[in-house]
Amino acid sequence: MRSTARNKGIRHAVQALRAIVLRELLRFWQQKTRLVSALVRPVLWLAVFAAGFRNVFGVAIIAPYDSYIPYDVYIAPGLIGMVLLFNGMQSSLAMVYDREMGLMRLLLTAPLPRWWVLLAKMFATALLSLVQVLAFVAVAALLGTELPIAPPASLHALFATLASALMLASLGLLLSVYVRQLENFAGAMNFVIFPMYFLSTALYPLWKLEESGATWVYRVAQFNPFTHAVEWIRFALYGKDPGLAPLIVLGTLAVCFTLACRGYDPQRGFGGLAQRGTA
């Protein structure tokens, strides 16, 4: 009897996961301009901004590179991170919208563990991020930016990208707890997206920051989890040891997801926030 009930519960959980993921994929497919809008930012940076600084970092060999590299090759992992970051934050907006429209309340009252529903949402966001990253890498190749894609380094890079996407999706979940209304979303994102992106190694290496005398920017970038997500992807692409980056990314993922689950607990966070948001 217990075995039958357990199997039924597992099937129910898998069906819920599939339903949530398919819903997100279907919504993404129906919003055909969403992929284009997701690619506009990184492609513009690659085609326009990087073109003006193409040979800036050819003057030195920095890890994980074994030879001189043009700027567009250096910036490509940072732009992959940009795709992940913006999609993770867009998922936060979707969560706020679903909460106001009532759909999220229906999901959270399903006879499933609350953390499982949130995990399914996070996984769906990460999966969409991967689709957008693969599209960006294809466009980058067409523009002449060549990234190493040979296995096993490519498999490590894919895992690093997935882990980074999950980390940023968990951050989006956490932010959706505290962003109570859609009107407040844009302002809140200005204090998250731009500091995380510009205070990282997405656009320039840490040694450049230290060399230029921007000590405080250098220190903040060192503690920025987005820096370690980009560095993990960058080092994985070239088959090099990423150091502590995986531990920091996975640790941030665990902390943000745990806090998000706590925030969506009706007795602690989500219930009170929902009431204040609709007051």
Side-chain angles (χ1 to χ4, degrees):
M1 182 67 69
R2 289 184 178 179
S3 177
T4 303
R6 186 184 301 111
N7 292 337
K8 185 177 180 180
I10 292 175
R11 287 198 302 269
H12 188 199
V14 172
Q15 288 176 352
L17 173 64
R18 184 176 61 182
I20 292 174
V21 171
L22 288 178
R23 173 182 178 270
E24 296 298 322
L25 290 174
L26 180 60
R27 186 161 64 173
F28 180 77
W29 176 256
Q30 291 175 340
Q31 299 169 347
K32 298 187 182 301
T33 59
R34 188 171 165 186
L35 177 61
V36 176
S37 63
L39 295 179
V40 165
R41 281 182 297 266
V43 169
L44 279 178
W45 278 79
L46 189 65
V48 179
F49 184 78
F53 297 91
R54 184 173 180 81
N55 296 314
V56 168
F57 296 117
V59 298
I61 299 175
I62 58 174
Y65 309 105
D66 297 322
S67 61
Y68 300 116
I69 57 162
Y71 186 51
D72 61 323
V73 173
Y74 176 82
I75 203 178
L79 295 178
I80 290 175
M82 175 188 282
V83 174
L84 302 178
L85 177 61
F86 274 86
N87 190 61
M89 297 306 102
Q90 189 173 13
S91 71
S92 179
L93 172 62
M95 287 288 286
V96 175
Y97 179 83
D98 286 346
R99 191 175 68 201
E100 286 198 352
M101 297 299 105
L103 179 60
M104 200 60 207
R105 289 190 181 89
L106 293 177
L107 286 175
L108 293 175
T109 55
L112 287 167
R114 191 174 299 267
W115 64 267
W116 180 258
V117 175
L118 295 176
L119 182 67
K121 291 284 290 184
M122 187 175 68
F123 181 76
T125 299
L127 186 60
L128 290 179
S129 294
L130 279 183
V131 171
Q132 295 173 21
V133 164
L134 293 176
F136 167 72
V137 170
V139 174
L142 293 176
L143 294 176
T145 301
E146 298 182 359
L147 294 175
I149 56 174
S154 59
L155 297 178
H156 184 192
L158 184 63
F159 178 75
T161 304
L162 176 61
S164 300
L166 288 169
M167 181 196 76
L168 294 168
S170 69
L171 178 61
L173 278 178
L174 180 59
L175 290 174
S176 69
V177 174
Y178 298 101
V179 180
R180 293 177 290 178
Q181 295 178 332
L182 290 173
E183 293 79 4
N184 301 331
F185 183 82
M189 291 304 97
N190 287 335
F191 291 97
V192 176
I193 293 178
F194 295 111
M196 284 193 73
Y197 188 74
F198 288 108
L199 298 177
S200 74
T201 56
L203 302 178
Y204 23 71
L206 282 176
W207 68 267
K208 275 286 184 182
L209 294 174
E210 189 177 26
E211 185 182 75
S212 65
T215 305
W216 72 271
V217 179
Y218 170 75
R219 296 301 180 192
V220 172
Q222 281 186 310
F223 289 98
N224 184 357
F226 183 72
T227 288
H228 299 282
V230 172
E231 290 301 289
W232 187 6
I233 296 171
R234 178 175 285 125
F235 276 73
L237 281 170
Y238 292 87
K240 300 297 179 66
D241 181 13
L244 294 177
L247 294 178
I248 295 173
V249 170
L250 295 176
T252 304
L253 163 61
V255 170
C256 289
F257 183 69
T258 300
L259 293 177
C261 291
R262 183 181 178 88
Y264 272 93
D265 187 332
Q267 296 180 349
R268 291 194 179 101
F270 176 76
L273 285 170
Q275 292 173 3
R276 290 197 298 271
T278 56

